[in-house]
Amino acid sequence: MKTSIATVCLSGTLDEKLRASAAAGFDGVEIFEPDFVSSPLPPRDVAALAVDLGITLDLYQPFRDFEGVSEEKLRHNLRRARAKFDLMNRLGIDTMLLCSNVGTAVSSDDALAVDQLRRLGDVAADNGVRVAYEALAWGRFVADYEHAARIVRSVDHPAVGHCLDSFHILSRGWDPVAIETIPADKIFFVQMADAPGLTMDLLSWSRHHRVFPGEGAFDLADFMGHLLRSGYDGPVSLEIFNDTFRRTDPFRTAIDAMRSLEWLQELASEALDRDGSEGAHMRVEPLPEMDPPVGFNFVEIRAEDGQRDRVRTTLYQLGFDDGGSHRTKPVELWAQGGARVVINNGDATAGAPAVAALGFDVADTHAAAERAARLLAPPVPREEGAGDEPLLGVRAPDSSEVFFGRIGAAGVPAWVAEFENAPVPAADSLVTRVDHVNLAQSWEYFDAAVLFCTSVLGLDPQPSLDVAAPTGLVRSQVMSAPGGAVRLVLNLAPAENVANPVQAQHVAFASTDAVAAAKRARQRGLSFLPIGDNYYDDLDSRFDLDPAFLEQLRELQLMYDRDERGEFLHFYTESLGSVFFEIVERRRGYAGYGATNAPVRLAAQHTRRAGLS
Ligand SMILES: O=C(O)c1ccc(O)c(O)c1
Ligand SMILES: [Mg+2]
């Protein structure tokens, strides 16, 4: 697949955008006109830079408001077009994108648009270039790609074809199946964009909220299947208007962008396998196959010297056993059931306790690492002592480390044997495994983190929700493996609160009996997050609980929820720096996270931090 990216996706100057695109491995770029107009580089220097960087300039865009106009306007429009065709020749670009008219069209008569586009085709052909007509979702008279297809068919000019943009097709709910009826040689260019499912006006949705494929809600696998079956074999380009990407480091954004196209190739090849590949020419390279992880292998906490004891004490209070130190590395292991927490002792200045790494159980660690490499995830170098079980790791967008491991026949990972006091999982432990991990994400890389979880870890995004905290809304996006074997919750706090610990991460351990776990923790002196009486009164009104049970919840500071399947009991420790722990008990297949309790928890943490309780 030939990959391309529009310069509008990236921040910086034209020069930086081209360098970032090349560094991320794109084959080509679309020059977005305002980026060129505001650049000091003359056209020949832009062309030369592209050659130096080894990228092609695939498209010049956009040209606006051409067709369906008065004869007088048309003469002016043809003059404008000639100037741009001349410029394209100097840039070495052979295709111009023409958006359907949104402003100056005076006639809905297709015959007029056909005639005017044919005259544009003649001028383009005289200049050795061609025009790709794109139906904008909010076009005045042409807003539907099938309508554009009828027009282009009637124009019947070799220099006039299509630009298909997934946003304009899917945002309107048009069925992309008719793409297969467009002759492949008439599809001059293809732009791929994803977007979250929002209910808002099309122009604002398109200009501010597009995201890279895999970060939104569009069915791009289906779209790609139709595109490939049309026989199209040209560039697949990203055209993502997004307020965040316009502000973030273009080199990083370009890598996230490239990851999305690698991922799209996998979706495309799956769609072809499923729905047939007759007519497809484009070579798509699927990623190395990987089954989603079946559990957490470990959670690693890093903390500076003076702060590790609090982590140890809290783990003890939650019932964890000290598995001792590693024979060669400066790490110690705490375990209970199938939950393993590694405390890193190697960094005296690590700061407050925080989740530094997550290990995932996968069937084939090498396939997972190979796949991550194809998805441009930077590898994490890891020193191995002689005889140590090798762990393959990559860095996630939030800079935390992700490792791929395997659970051996004994029900524990092989690396556990490298610890002094290697724990043997007890069948009757109150904590059985890691249930979920909440990770705070910065506003810059939230979308990238979603794509990383989907593509590298094989987790599926669940519907996102906003949770009210006293300092703002926290966007919460659950990513989960089938059956909830692995659940990550990505949290995005308001930008102005980045320094505020509302961003804290937390690790939730699954328990068979949260009441017993809470009693044990209390007996061992755990400092619980205090929950107020109003919460328990509200629980009573909502769930009509048995009074003795309600009293027990109140007494132990347990939180409660219920869904159509079952019940949820959970409690939180106080924050230990940037991390805190939670014990959860899911009764009869409760599938949520106690979302209605999250604002209460956030408010309690806020009150605690502010020293008000
Ligand atoms: O929002 C726009 O104007 C615009 C311009 C060019 C495109 O390719 C597009 O999809 C939208
Ligand atoms: Mg477009």
Side-chain angles (χ1 to χ4, degrees):
M1 184 170 97
K2 180 174 178 349
T3 57
S4 185
I5 182 168
T7 54
V8 74
C9 302
L10 303 171
S11 70
T13 61
L14 182 61
D15 180 276
E16 289 165 326
K17 290 167 190 246
L18 297 181
R19 290 179 193 281
S21 306
F26 281 92
D27 298 314
V29 298
E30 302 175 34
I31 300 282
F32 194 63
E33 182 165 76
D35 287 324
F36 172 74
V37 172
S38 54
S39 169
L41 296 176
R44 67 170 179 284
D45 288 8
V46 175
L49 177 60
V51 170
D52 276 0
L53 292 171
I55 51 175
T56 51
L57 302 179
D58 299 329
L59 186 84
Y60 187 85
Q61 72 127 323
F63 194 75
R64 298 187 191 275
D65 293 340
F66 176 82
E67 81 289 12
V69 297
S70 66
E71 186 59 30
E72 187 196 344
K73 191 98 201 154
L74 183 77
R75 276 197 298 277
H76 170 71
N77 287 348
L78 285 169
R79 189 181 158 276
R80 274 200 295 139
R82 266 186 214 101
K84 293 305 168 189
F85 294 154
D86 179 54
L87 167 63
M88 285 163 58
N89 277 320
R90 284 181 286 148
L91 284 166
I93 301 180
D94 67 6
T95 307
M96 180 178 84
L97 182 150
L98 168 66
C99 297
S100 60
N101 199 324
V102 301
T104 58
V106 290
S107 166
S108 63
D109 181 2
D110 280 357
L112 182 68
V114 167
D115 175 62
Q116 297 183 338
L117 286 171
R118 195 176 292 133
R119 286 158 73 183
L120 180 64
D122 284 340
V123 179
D126 284 349
N127 285 273
V129 298
R130 50 188 205 161
V131 174
Y133 186 48
E134 175 187 53
L136 294 191
W138 56 92
R140 178 101 192 262
F141 297 115
V142 180
D144 169 354
Y145 80 102
E146 292 190 71
H147 186 184
R150 288 193 296 277
I151 291 175
V152 167
R153 199 176 314 126
S154 303
V155 171
D156 191 23
H157 194 295
V160 179
H162 290 277
C163 170
L164 298 175
D165 179 329
S166 64
F167 181 88
H168 298 296
I169 296 172
L170 301 178
S171 65
R172 294 292 303 255
W174 312 131
D175 188 339
V177 67
I179 291 173
E180 294 184 35
T181 63
I182 303 175
D185 63 354
K186 280 289 175 190
I187 306 177
F188 289 176
F189 205 74
V190 170
Q191 295 171 324
M192 295 301 295
D194 205 340
L198 302 172
T199 309
M200 66 188 302
D201 77 282
L202 290 159
L203 187 142
S204 305
W205 189 14
S206 175
R207 296 245 176 106
H208 301 281
H209 300 284
R210 291 187 183 207
V211 284
F212 293 124
E215 298 177 350
F218 288 166
D219 187 351
L220 296 180
D222 176 63
F223 186 97
M224 282 297 287
H226 296 307
L227 178 66
L228 296 192
R229 280 189 293 273
S230 77
Y232 178 73
D233 191 20
V236 176
S237 189
L238 297 166
E239 186 199 32
I240 313 299
F241 302 89
N242 178 291
D243 297 358
T244 300
F245 304 158
R246 282 177 190 272
R247 295 176 63 185
T248 48
D249 175 8
F251 285 83
R252 268 193 77 154
T253 309
I255 285 177
D256 295 335
M258 194 63 185
R259 176 175 304 137
S260 77
L261 284 187
E262 294 286 358
W263 166 238
L264 193 63
Q265 294 192 59
E266 165 150 297
L267 292 190
S269 70
E270 283 171 8
L272 291 182
D273 287 348
R274 198 177 48 240
D275 305 328
S277 60
E278 205 181 326
H281 285 285
M282 192 188 294
R283 240 191 56 185
V284 287
E285 284 182 45
L287 300 165
E289 268 184 47
M290 170 196 155
D291 290 331
V294 293
F296 286 94
N297 197 279
F298 66 91
V299 173
E300 180 179 321
I301 308 267
R302 207 163 287 179
E304 64 189 31
D305 282 351
Q307 301 219 35
R308 276 179 224 125
D309 269 345
R310 287 182 69 204
V311 180
R312 294 183 183 108
T313 304
T314 306
L315 288 171
Y316 162 76
Q317 289 163 336
L318 294 177
F320 279 71
D321 294 321
D322 182 353
S325 297
H326 190 271
R327 65 182 174 208
T328 59
K329 296 176 202 159
V331 291
E332 65 190 64
L333 172 64
W334 288 74
Q336 182 176 189
R340 288 168 288 277
V341 177
V342 169
I343 301 179
N344 189 313
N345 295 324
D347 189 350
T349 57
V355 175
L358 293 177
F360 294 94
D361 288 335
V362 294
D364 183 341
T365 53
H366 288 281
E370 215 182 292
R371 181 183 166 90
R374 262 284 302 281
L375 289 162
L376 302 128
V380 173
R382 183 106 173 164
E383 279 175 32
E384 308 290 349
D388 287 356
E389 171 84 357
L391 278 173
L392 301 169
V394 294
R395 201 168 290 286
D398 65 1
S399 301
S400 66
E401 296 168 357
V402 162
F403 289 95
F404 302 110
R406 229 155 25 92
I407 299 283
V412 290
W415 56 260
V416 164
E418 294 158 18
F419 287 78
E420 253 162 30
N421 217 349
V424 187
D428 59 350
S429 61
L430 286 178
V431 162
T432 52
R433 62 189 194 95
V434 174
D435 183 273
H436 62 274
V437 178
N438 279 51
L439 296 171
Q441 302 295 319
S442 71
W443 61 271
E444 290 112 308
Y445 305 117
F446 189 85
D447 293 314
V450 172
L451 177 63
F452 179 88
C453 290
T454 318
S455 59
V456 176
L457 300 179
L459 305 180
D460 295 322
Q462 309 301 314
S464 93
L465 75 140
D466 291 327
V467 178
T471 50
L473 288 180
V474 178
R475 182 167 151 207
S476 182
Q477 171 70 64
V478 174
M479 308 292 307
S480 70
V486 164
R487 298 169 159 110
L488 289 183
V489 185
L490 305 176
N491 286 332
L492 173 70
E496 60 273 23
N497 289 329
V498 162
N500 187 315
V502 79
Q503 287 266 16
Q505 310 160 321
H506 80 258
V507 182
F509 300 110
S511 174
T512 49
D513 187 343
V515 170
K519 285 183 176 161
R520 174 178 65 188
R522 171 167 292 189
Q523 197 211 339
R524 293 185 178 192
L526 179 77
S527 189
F528 287 72
L529 180 71
I531 307 297
D533 272 341
N534 293 353
Y535 169 75
Y536 294 99
D537 294 345
D538 178 61
L539 269 191
D540 192 28
S541 70
R542 284 193 289 140
F543 295 122
D544 195 12
L545 297 172
D546 170 60
F549 180 59
L550 180 67
E551 224 17 67
Q552 185 170 52
L553 296 178
R554 193 192 305 262
E555 226 285 285
L556 291 168
Q557 301 281 277
L558 288 169
M559 300 186 102
Y560 177 83
D561 192 27
R562 196 191 281 165
D563 65 10
E564 30 332 308
R565 289 207 275 184
E567 295 172 294
F568 190 54
L569 275 71
H570 58 142
F571 67 91
Y572 297 95
T573 70
E574 298 229 283
S575 294
L576 312 163
S578 299
V579 68
F580 58 94
F581 299 117
E582 179 185 8
I583 298 280
V584 310
E585 178 189 345
R586 296 175 183 275
R587 294 186 175 168
R588 295 183 305 283
Y590 172 93
Y593 301 81
T596 48
N597 297 334
V600 180
R601 188 256 295 170
L602 286 161
Q605 289 174 324
H606 176 75
T607 306
R608 206 66 177 158
R609 266 195 313 280
L612 302 174
S613 82

